[in-house]
Amino acid sequence: MGEQPLYDLAPLLELMALGAVIALAPLLWVWHRNRGAGPARRLQALGLLTLFLTFDLVLFGAFTRLTDSGLGCPDWPGCYGNTSPLGAHAEITAAQTAMPTGPVTFSKAWIEMIHRYLATTVGVLIIALVLLAWREHRKAPLHGPRHPWWATATLVWVLIQGAFGALTVTMKLFPAIVTLHLLGGLLLLVLLCVQAVGHQQAVLRQPPAPIPGTLRAALWACLALLFAQVALGGWVSTNYAVLACSTFPDCNGQWWPAMDFAQAFEIWRPLGLLSDGSHISFAALTAIHYVHRLAAYGVIAAVVAVALAMRRQPALAGQGRWLLGLIGLQFLTGLSNVVLDWPLVAAVLHTGGAAALVTVMTWALAATRTHSAPALQDDTQAPHGARRVVA
C-alpha cells in the first residue's frame, strides 16, 4: 500500500455537500422560528446561532487536540481520501493494528472528521449570513457591524481558518500552526459577536450605551491581555507542557525552577524538536508552563478589576458578573490541570473558559461607546447672568 498523500481533494465536494445538508437543519429552524419577523430579526437569529455553533467548534477543536486526535486522519480534507472513516476501514485497521495507541485509530479518526464536519457546517452558515446580509442591504442600507462587509470579512477569515486546519494536519501538529489555529478561532468568535450585538441592537432599537472612555480603554487593554494569555496557553497545550510543573503554587517544589527560555520560545520548529533537529529539553517545557502561569496572575487581576468597574455601569453589570464567574472558572480548571494530572474535562473547559472570556469582553465593547461630554453653550444659549465658558 502506497503512502497516503497529505492532500487528497477527491472527497472535497462530498464534504461540502455534507456540510450543507447538516447546516440545513439549523437554517430551517431559524427560518421557521422567524418566518413572520423582519429582516433584522432574521439576521439576529442567524448570527446568534452561528456564534453559538462556532463556540461549540472551538470547544470540539480543543477536545480533538486534547485526545490526540489531530492526526486521526493523516490527510486533508477527508480520511484516506474518503468522506468518512467508514470508507477508510482497511487503512485505519492497518494503522491501528500496527500502533494500537498511535495517532490513527477509529475513535480518533471519527473525532477528527466530526470536527471537520462541524467546521464545514459553520462555514455554510457564514455563507448564508453573507447572502442574507447583502440581500437586505440592497433593500435598505445596513450600517456599522451590520454592514455586509463584516459578514464577508468573516467568511474570508473562516476560509483562512480552514487553511490553518489543513496545515495542522499536513505539518504534523506544528506547535506554531496549532496555536495560530486556536487564536484564529477566537478571532472568528470576535467577528461573529460584534455582528450579533449589532443585529440585537437593531432589533431592540437600542444604540450603544455610553460609558467612560477610561473604562473603554481598560476593556480594550484587557481584551489584548486575554489574547496574549490564550497564545501562551495554546503554546503550553500544543507543546504538551501542561504537566511540566506538577505542584502549585510553586513548580516542582521550587519557586524558580530550572528553565530554558531560548528553547521554550523558539517558535518555528516541529513538535517536540528544535530547529536543529534535537529534542526540546524539560527545562524548556518548564519555562513554557511557568511563564503562562505567572502571566495568569496578572491577567486575573486585570479582569477582576475591569469586571468590578463594569458592575458600576448599569449597561455592563451583566457582562461584569459573567467575567467574574468565568475568571473563577479559569483559575479552577487551570489548577485542576496541574494537581489532577490534566483531566480531559478540565482541560476542555479551560479552553472554553478562555473563549467565553474573549466573547464576553467583545460583547461589552460592541454594546458600548465612549461617553461624550455635553456640548458647551455659547453666549446666545447661556441664561441671563450666566458666565461664559471659554474652551
Side-chain angles (χ1 to χ4, degrees):
M1 183 182 297
E3 184 177 350
Q4 176 65 29
L6 294 177
Y7 293 98
D8 189 340
L9 301 182
L12 182 59
L13 291 178
E14 292 182 10
L15 282 169
M16 292 172 64
L18 180 60
V21 169
I22 297 172
L24 191 60
L27 283 172
L28 289 174
W29 182 80
V30 167
W31 253 252
H32 176 73
R33 292 269 298 181
N34 301 278
R35 58 190 182 279
R41 176 61 184 167
R42 289 195 296 270
L43 277 168
Q44 180 204 25
L46 182 57
L48 284 173
L49 177 66
T50 307
L51 176 62
F52 173 75
L53 290 178
T54 302
F55 186 85
D56 293 341
L57 176 61
V58 171
L59 277 181
F60 202 84
F63 179 75
T64 302
R65 181 178 71 255
L66 293 164
T67 55
D68 293 325
S69 302
L71 298 179
C73 290
D75 56 326
W76 188 91
C79 193
Y80 289 96
N82 294 274
T83 309
S84 82
L86 293 176
H89 186 274
E91 292 87 348
I92 297 173
T93 298
Q96 184 169 327
T97 301
M99 295 182 64
T101 59
V104 179
T105 65
F106 279 102
S107 61
K108 292 177 181 179
W110 274 111
I111 291 171
E112 171 66 2
M113 288 308 298
I114 290 172
H115 177 58
R116 296 181 193 180
Y117 299 153
L118 183 55
T120 306
T121 302
V122 167
V124 172
L125 291 175
I126 291 174
I127 291 173
L129 196 61
V130 171
L131 295 176
L132 181 59
W134 279 110
R135 190 184 76 171
E136 298 304 330
H137 182 69
R138 285 195 295 269
K139 296 177 182 178
L142 304 177
H143 302 286
R146 302 181 69 232
H147 195 283
W149 280 117
W150 274 86
T152 305
T154 306
L155 176 58
V156 172
W157 187 250
V158 84
L159 293 174
I160 294 173
Q161 270 294 90
F164 275 119
L167 290 173
T168 295
V169 176
T170 59
M171 295 184 70
K172 308 298 182 185
L173 306 181
F174 216 74
I177 295 296
V178 180
T179 302
L180 286 173
H181 193 46
L182 170 63
L183 293 173
L186 296 192
L187 183 55
L188 187 57
L189 287 174
V190 167
L191 290 169
L192 290 167
C193 183
V194 170
Q195 293 168 76
V197 172
H199 295 315
Q200 182 181 37
Q201 289 174 337
V203 169
L204 300 177
R205 299 184 183 278
Q206 182 183 67
I211 62 172
T214 51
L215 181 55
R216 285 272 296 176
L219 283 167
W220 277 111
C222 208
L223 182 60
L225 282 176
L226 282 173
F227 264 92
Q229 181 65 356
V230 171
L232 288 173
W235 196 239
V236 172
S237 180
T238 57
N239 282 282
Y240 295 88
V242 174
L243 299 180
C245 289
S246 58
T247 59
F248 181 87
D250 59 7
C251 177
N252 301 328
Q254 297 178 289
W255 290 107
W256 194 256
M259 292 181 281
D260 189 326
F261 294 99
Q263 286 189 16
F265 295 100
E266 183 180 308
I267 303 300
W268 199 251
R269 54 174 179 76
L271 176 62
L273 302 174
L274 301 174
S275 57
D276 62 5
S278 60
H279 288 278
I280 190 169
S281 67
F282 185 77
L285 297 178
T286 303
I288 292 171
H289 179 115
Y290 211 45
V291 166
H292 175 61
R293 187 190 294 186
L294 294 176
Y297 300 139
V299 173
I300 289 172
V303 171
V304 168
V306 169
L308 292 175
M310 290 167 65
R311 294 191 64 183
R312 292 193 290 270
Q313 300 290 326
L316 293 178
Q319 291 95 319
R321 288 191 291 270
W322 270 102
L323 288 178
L324 289 174
L326 287 169
I327 202 66
L329 174 68
Q330 282 301 90
F331 176 78
L332 291 175
T333 54
L335 178 61
S336 298
N337 285 333
V338 174
V339 301
L340 298 179
D341 284 338
W342 203 14
L344 180 60
V345 172
V348 172
L349 284 176
H350 198 59
T351 299
L357 281 168
V358 168
T359 303
V360 173
M361 194 72 69
T362 303
W363 174 21
L365 282 165
T368 58
R369 61 178 174 83
T370 301
H371 177 72
S372 300
L376 297 177
Q377 293 179 317
D378 59 24
D379 285 326
T380 62
Q381 298 170 318
H384 181 72
R387 295 178 60 187
R388 179 179 179 182
V389 179
V390 180

